């Protein structure tokens, strides 16, 4: 295997907390999302280690259900979205994918949720996982984290994830990383606006954020979030249908079939020079 192949495959294959009142309120560990609650903050932990938290139909549905519950629960002031293992999300599950419509609906649900959603990252984030980050209101990652838009390397494009990302990410950085598929670290992600902060200790950096959210009024949070997400929701309204169709059409092309086959076989695609 060439060094280039190893790096490409590393990009694809590299890839909680808490209680309510005096005791923990945690869901039974039977679904790919674990729920816990402490002092107004609900933590949703992606826990599908077998596929590095890939966005399978099952995970997308479970996360959507958990967010719906948070949205209607008056005891929830804000949501933390985090992960087990060393990967926040490896992107689309190529074996058991969620439909593009379901994933778009999930990202929009995060954006429209009347409670802030804070991403807590300590590991790798790839492709569709970056869409989840872009949908969150605040994102903090430690310096072990790395990121990559790997779609271009399998013959497709970061189509639907561009909906929450392009309104928020610096255009030159978006062009570089979407066109090259190269990995970049948390410091560069913060400079680009993909995340809010790159920290040595993600929980230490998260503490004042959660303290601030606990001190904020529910109405104040909901109305402030509406102001902040106008541009992102306009992108969903204008472009979501077109991008879902474009994504679906790309995945059935000959180039995408070659790219996905190369990915599965851990080799360079035919076009690599």
């Amino acid at each position: 295997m060439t060094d280039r192949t190893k790096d490409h495959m590393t990009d694809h294959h590299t890839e909680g907390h808490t209680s309510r009142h005096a005791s923990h309120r945690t869901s039974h560990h039977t679904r790919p999302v674990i729920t816990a609650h402490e002092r107004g903050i609900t933590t949703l932990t992606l826990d599908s280690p077998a596929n590095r938290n890939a966005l399978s139909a099952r995970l997308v549905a479970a996360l959507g259900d958990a967010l719906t519950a948070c949205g209607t629960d008056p005891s929830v002031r804000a949501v933390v979205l985090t992960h087990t293992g060393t990967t926040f999300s490896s992107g689309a599950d190529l074996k058991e994918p969620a439909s593009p419509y379901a994933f778009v609906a999930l990202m929009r649900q995060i954006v429209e949720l009347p409670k802030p959603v804070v991403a807590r990252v300590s590991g790798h984030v790839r492709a569709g996982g970056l869409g989840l980050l872009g949908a969150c209101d605040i994102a903090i990652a430690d310096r072990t984290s790395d990121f990559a838009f790997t779609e271009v390397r399998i013959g497709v494009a970061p189509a639907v994830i561009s909906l929450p990302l392009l309104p928020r990410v610096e255009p030159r950085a978006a062009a570089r990383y979407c066109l090259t598929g190269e990995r970049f670290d948390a410091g560069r992600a913060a400079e680009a606006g993909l995340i809010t902060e790159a920290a040595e200790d993600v929980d230490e950096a998260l503490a004042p954020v959660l303290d601030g959210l606990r001190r904020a009024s529910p109405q104040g949070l909901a109305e402030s979030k509406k102001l902040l997400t106008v541009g992102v929701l306009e992108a969903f309204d204008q472009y979501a249908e077109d991008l879902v169709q474009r994504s679906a059409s790309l995945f059935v092309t000959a180039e995408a079939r070659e790219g996905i086959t190369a990915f599965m076989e851990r080799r360079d695609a035919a076009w690599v020079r």
Side-chain angles (χ1 to χ4, degrees):
M1 184 182 289
T2 66
D3 288 342
R4 182 172 55 211
T5 304
K6 289 176 183 174
D7 183 63
H8 173 55
M9 297 323 303
T10 300
D11 272 353
H12 283 85
H13 290 283
T14 56
E15 338 200 19
H17 330 294
T18 46
S19 76
R20 184 176 185 182
H21 306 308
S23 63
H24 288 274
R25 185 181 77 189
T26 305
S27 67
H28 292 298
H29 193 170
T30 57
R31 305 190 77 198
V33 177
I34 303 169
T35 302
H37 186 91
E38 182 180 29
R39 293 179 52 223
I41 306 297
T42 290
T43 299
L44 303 180
T45 302
L46 306 181
D47 185 35
S48 183
N51 64 0
R52 299 171 303 282
N53 292 327
L55 298 166
S56 64
R58 182 168 171 264
L59 185 144
V60 167
L63 183 53
D65 289 346
L67 288 165
T68 296
C70 290
T72 58
D73 186 344
S75 74
V76 178
R77 187 69 47 82
V79 176
V80 172
L81 180 61
T82 189
H83 60 101
T84 58
T86 59
T87 301
F88 177 80
S89 175
S90 58
D93 188 329
L94 298 178
K95 294 180 179 177
E96 299 176 3
S99 86
Y101 285 108
F103 184 51
V104 167
L106 176 64
M107 291 189 293
R108 181 163 192 147
Q109 184 179 10
I110 293 171
V111 175
E112 288 189 315
L113 199 76
K115 290 107 188 268
V117 181
V118 181
R120 175 196 175 277
V121 179
S122 180
H124 313 291
V125 192
R126 299 291 183 265
L130 297 170
L132 291 183
L133 285 192
C136 292
D137 303 288
I138 298 169
I140 300 176
D142 70 21
R143 294 191 179 275
T144 70
S145 304
D146 59 27
F147 309 82
F149 293 90
T150 49
E151 292 89 346
V152 70
R153 296 194 179 189
I154 63 166
V156 297
V160 296
I161 68 170
S162 70
L163 291 165
L165 287 169
L166 290 186
R168 289 173 164 165
V169 175
E170 194 279 319
R172 289 294 191 187
R176 173 176 177 171
Y177 297 122
C178 288
L179 293 173
T180 65
E182 65 188 299
R183 282 175 290 168
F184 54 102
D185 63 21
R188 287 182 177 257
E191 291 169 7
L194 175 65
I195 64 172
T196 309
E197 182 180 350
E200 295 300 330
D201 184 320
V202 67
D203 292 312
E204 188 174 292
L206 198 58
V209 173
L210 299 185
D211 181 63
L213 295 174
R214 286 182 170 116
R215 292 173 183 274
S217 87
Q219 176 177 279
L221 288 173
E223 293 303 316
S224 296
K225 180 166 176 173
K226 283 182 186 177
L227 294 174
L228 293 166
T229 56
V230 167
V232 179
L233 289 173
E234 284 177 351
F236 276 85
D237 290 337
Q238 279 189 266
Y239 305 119
E241 180 63 30
D242 173 64
L243 290 171
V244 166
Q245 296 300 325
R246 195 181 311 183
S247 178
S249 65
L250 284 171
F251 269 96
V252 298
T253 60
E255 275 197 26
R257 285 197 298 272
E258 163 59 13
I260 292 169
T261 301
F263 163 74
M264 296 293 191
E265 295 177 353
R266 303 193 175 207
R267 61 170 173 83
D268 283 338
W271 56 74
V272 174
R273 297 290 180 264

